[in-house]
Amino acid sequence: MLPSIDLRIANIIKALEQVVQPALAPRERLARDQVNLCIGHLRMIMEQWRWAVAFEARSLDAMIALADNILPSVEIVWHDELASALDRGWWVDRQDLAAVEKAIVALGGVIDRIILGEDGKYPLTDAVRQAVLDYGEAQAARERAWFAGTGLDPDRAELSSIAAMMDAGVVR
Amino acid sequence: MIRDDLDIWDRSEMEPRIRHILERTARLRHTGPYRPKTNAEVTAMLTRFFAAHDMTDIVIADVERMSGGASKEQFAFTLSHGAKEAQGERLVLRMDPLEAIAQTCRGREGEIQVAMAGHVPVAPVRWFDADGDLLGQPAVILGFVDGVTQPSDGDGRAVSGMGGHLGSLADRLAPQYVDALAKTHRFDWSRAHLRYFQAPRAHSRQAAIWQVNWWSGVWWDCLVEPVPAITLAERWLRENAPVCDRPVLVHGDLRMGNFLFEEPSGRFTAVLDWELAHIGDYHEDIAWTMQKLFGSWGDDGTFLVSGLLPRNAFIERYQAASGNVIEPERLRYYEILNAYKCAVMDLGQAMRATIAGNNHQEVVLSWLGSAGAVFLSHMIQLIRES
């Protein structure tokens, strides 16, 4: 593919840095700030784009693993609904980003209702609580590695690179 | 003594003005997308606004867009009124885009700064339009205050105050920072005749539950993608809500980036961004300012609260200045609540505003949104430790 995605992103960054930025008057502070952030976003996108579909597919897989984990512990009222959302999740085409995102929303919605337990009417078992915390911790670590390029994470030195995280297929 | 028959799951338990703001947000969301205002549009809006205040003999000049903040659209301008005011006054217009990272009330922001003048350094409030009846968008107009939020010889890479360093000025800024927090918490709000605020009951869990309902209301209204840890945290926060015996004024967002100081003296010129102010538990402010993302590391690797001083020294000095005792368990509750709040702002409200195109700087919101997982990690760690 010529020109490649990486090349075009690099071209845009150069234009922003070397032409647009110097053309902005010092008093145009918001515009200058926004150009800086555009450059930052583009640098991150350059690292992320080739992994985007796989990253979301693994997010769905992680949520399916959570649903699978909690299925034996959930109240009977949600058992069938969760089992059927789980089943639908398994069959989603992992190369279809929109379908993967839709499946995450559907399955996550059922899990949310289980956690809330009809606003406290049903207790939250320790098993479900632990499973949600384990899943949440792992997923947050993946997302922190994914967005480490912002430089906002105070513990970014502990995070693996996107490539290393994706190659390993696991968190950190 | 607990005077509490509160239903922790009653989602209608919320400060009325906050409910109004959240309902207004949901009602107006579909009128977007929002287009950033031009200087000419701002001049026209201000002209109409001042005419409604019977100020027709005016000149609005040097309208200039300001940076900073992830929330409000800000313009500096000079207002001259009548021949005798030829030089005019430099002012700042802070107005709501259709949606931002936090949906708050300009009436509260204006009113509380009027009340706090003389207690802590604040920008002088000239006018506010709480519901945008005159300007077309809710706004507050403040006197321009000189100062910086980061040393001008720093790298200037902080976004909304995060990721900055205060360097050698930290020693001079720290006592003023602690003093501002202590004075805010000692402020007698009950005599201030605040129209836009209501106080939660003393000796009740209402202070905590009002906050949980505010932010969980935002989360469910804005939901883009379910995050089970956020839902789990909501349940934990309801089931573990502590009693607040004596509600105080809480700034809600006091941290690095939200105070202005002069250079080279380091003298505080204004405590900024009162938009999240409310009456509640002082532990909430202490927990907020101690979040890792709002601090920095000293040369020796010590974490500095708001880039100013180590955690234990900060707590010690705050207790001495305020007379308030920091209770570790209550502090932990509010650390979890604040991490939850930040995750809701980043992954909920900011994402909803960005998707709808309802902000003037979506590129900032999606940048900050990517920090959501940092707050989630912290929140999960704290829940585990609890």
Side-chain angles (χ1 to χ4, degrees), chain B residues 81-353:
Chain B
H81 183 213
K84 63 184 175 193
E85 268 188 48
Q87 224 177 356
E89 183 186 11
R90 196 73 176 147
L91 298 166
V92 173
L93 169 71
R94 261 171 68 79
M95 63 182 177
D96 291 9
L98 205 46
E99 275 188 273
I101 195 163
Q103 290 300 99
T104 54
C105 170
R106 303 288 66 74
R108 286 164 75 96
E109 184 180 341
E111 185 175 59
I112 202 62
Q113 286 184 94
V114 169
M116 292 309 287
H119 297 273
V120 294
V122 288
V125 177
R126 299 294 185 229
W127 296 271
F128 58 82
D129 186 0
D131 290 301
D133 299 330
L134 300 177
L135 271 162
Q137 292 167 229
V140 58
I141 298 173
L142 306 164
F144 190 91
V145 178
D146 284 319
V148 294
T149 54
Q150 290 183 78
S152 33
D153 60 0
D155 61 14
R157 281 167 52 198
V159 178
S160 192
M162 285 179 266
H165 290 276
L166 296 168
S168 58
L169 281 173
D171 287 347
R172 272 175 272 175
L173 296 170
Q176 299 173 81
Y177 185 79
V178 171
D179 186 57
L181 264 175
K183 282 183 173 153
T184 301
H185 297 166
R186 287 204 309 259
F187 175 71
D188 185 358
W189 52 264
S190 66
R191 291 167 181 268
H193 307 292
L194 300 171
R195 260 179 70 201
Y196 290 97
F197 290 80
Q198 275 195 15
R201 287 191 299 276
H203 310 294
S204 151
R205 291 174 293 178
Q206 199 173 40
I209 291 298
W210 275 8
Q211 291 301 306
V212 179
N213 281 336
W214 175 353
W215 295 102
S216 62
V218 172
W219 178 250
W220 297 117
D221 173 54
C222 293
L223 186 69
V224 176
E225 185 176 291
V227 178
I230 288 187
T231 313
L232 182 78
E234 179 191 334
R235 183 160 187 165
W236 187 93
L237 288 164
R238 291 183 186 283
E239 293 176 342
N240 293 277
V243 168
C244 176
D245 288 327
R246 185 179 53 86
V248 304
L249 175 63
V250 173
H251 177 283
D253 194 15
L254 191 51
R255 59 177 169 84
M256 187 177 358
N258 277 348
F259 52 85
L260 275 179
F261 55 92
E262 276 177 351
E263 292 180 301
S265 70
R267 186 181 69 87
F268 260 38
T269 53
V271 174
L272 305 171
D273 276 6
W274 291 80
E275 62 177 302
L276 291 168
H278 57 275
I279 317 287
D281 192 315
Y282 57 83
H283 289 84
E284 195 178 338
D285 261 347
I286 304 305
W288 183 269
T289 193
M290 292 201 310
Q291 292 192 90
K292 259 188 175 175
L293 212 70
F294 298 154
S296 65
W297 270 261
D299 294 337
D300 61 354
T302 310
F303 175 72
L304 302 175
V305 172
S306 267
L308 294 167
L309 69 177
R311 190 178 158 111
N312 287 344
F314 167 71
I315 289 178
E316 230 168 73
R317 288 206 206 175
Y318 168 78
Q319 291 188 136
S322 65
N324 294 329
V325 175
I326 301 295
E327 297 171 32
E329 207 172 313
R330 203 175 291 254
L331 184 64
R332 182 183 303 277
Y333 177 87
Y334 281 101
E335 285 183 292
I336 294 171
L337 175 68
N338 287 334
Y340 170 80
K341 244 195 255 186
C342 291
V344 167
M345 285 187 210
D346 284 351
L347 302 172
Q349 181 63 68
M351 290 305 97
R352 179 53 65 197

Side-chain angles (χ1 to χ4, degrees), chain A residues 27-31 33-34 36-41 44 56 63 66 101 104-109 111-124 128-130 132-137 139-141 143-144 147 149-155 158 172, chain B residues 9 11 39 62-69 73 90 157 159 162-163 219-220 223-229 231-236 238-239 292-293 297 303 347 360-374 376-377 379-381 383-384 386:
Chain A
R27 64 179 280 160
E28 296 294 346
R29 288 191 304 166
L30 186 73
D33 285 355
Q34 294 215 10
N36 276 332
L37 287 174
C38 290
I39 294 166
H41 273 297
M44 280 201 294
E56 280 301 79
M63 193 175 264
L66 167 65
E101 287 173 347
I104 289 173
V105 170
L107 187 54
I111 294 170
D112 273 352
R113 288 200 294 285
I114 291 166
I115 295 169
L116 289 176
E118 288 184 15
D119 282 1
K121 286 194 188 84
Y122 294 93
L124 190 68
V128 173
R129 182 177 183 273
Q130 283 309 323
V132 171
L133 290 174
D134 290 346
Y135 156 84
E137 192 171 29
Q139 185 64 12
E143 290 180 8
R144 286 170 57 203
F147 289 117
T150 61
L152 290 173
D153 195 323
D155 298 313
E158 295 170 13
R172 281 207 266 179
Chain B
W9 286 99
R11 295 173 186 273
N39 289 0
D62 292 326
V63 177
E64 184 183 355
R65 200 176 248 292
M66 296 172 76
S67 65
E73 200 171 12
R90 196 73 176 147
R157 281 167 52 198
V159 178
M162 285 179 266
W219 178 250
W220 297 117
L223 186 69
V224 176
E225 185 176 291
V227 178
T231 313
L232 182 78
E234 179 191 334
R235 183 160 187 165
W236 187 93
R238 291 183 186 283
E239 293 176 342
K292 259 188 175 175
L293 212 70
W297 270 261
F303 175 72
L347 302 172
H360 60 297
Q361 45 178 359
E362 280 96 8
V363 72
V364 175
L365 297 190
S366 51
W367 189 264
L368 294 175
S370 66
V374 179
L376 288 181
S377 273
M379 184 182 82
I380 290 166
Q381 182 197 335
I383 291 176
R384 281 194 196 281
S386 72

